[in-house]
Amino acid sequence: QVQLAESGGGLVQPGGSLRLSCTVSGSFYNIATMAWYRQTPGMQREWIASGVSGGATNYPPSAEGRFTISRVANTVYLQMNRLKPEDTAIYFCNLGIRSVAGRPWKEYWGQGIQVTVSS
């Protein structure tokens, strides 16, 4: 049973940095795709970073140059720099995980973690 656990959120002042982690546990073959989304009350979930293992990464303009998605072993990270109050949201990791080599990957979501940017 694959599970995702997010950590690293919290309160940070404007201009500060946070690193979110999304750790995969359980039995699986590989992490095929990775992404981070965020959501504020009453709004749709917003894509903010994505990539494929060992490949290119992509960001919307709101995150480009400030956020970096990466992966080490079974943990996917989102490094967030120069944070702004409008970055306040619940952040979710979204991973495509392949349980067995050669089989299609399955989509998993993290539980969400609060990031608050405020002075």
Side-chain angles (χ1 to χ4, degrees):
Q1 180 79 11
V2 170
Q3 291 187 320
L4 276 58
E6 297 185 32
S7 61
L11 174 65
V12 63
Q13 292 189 341
S17 297
L18 278 178
R19 188 177 76 164
L20 305 182
S21 301
C22 178
T23 299
V24 183
S25 62
S27 178
F28 65 100
Y29 175 69
N30 71 352
I31 299 172
T33 67
M34 55 186 185
W36 287 90
Y37 290 77
R38 67 187 181 188
Q39 190 169 24
T40 54
M43 301 295 288
Q44 286 189 334
R45 199 165 287 189
E46 176 192 12
W47 163 68
I48 54 169
S50 61
V52 293
S53 292
T57 55
N58 295 283
Y59 308 90
S62 59
E64 184 76 53
R66 299 190 300 126
F67 293 3
T68 303
I69 188 171
S70 62
R71 182 185 68 82
V72 176
N74 63 327
T75 298
V76 174
Y77 299 98
L78 182 68
Q79 177 68 44
M80 303 186 292
N81 299 324
R82 302 196 305 278
L83 283 161
K84 307 173 183 179
E86 52 264 41
D87 294 318
T88 295
I90 297 174
Y91 284 70
F92 299 87
C93 60
N94 173 260
L95 306 183
I97 296 174
R98 189 173 282 112
S99 59
V100 177
R103 299 289 296 273
W105 52 262
K106 179 181 176 181
E107 182 181 48
Y108 292 85
W109 287 92
Q111 81 277 15
I113 193 162
Q114 179 70 45
V115 170
T116 302
V117 185
S118 175
S119 55

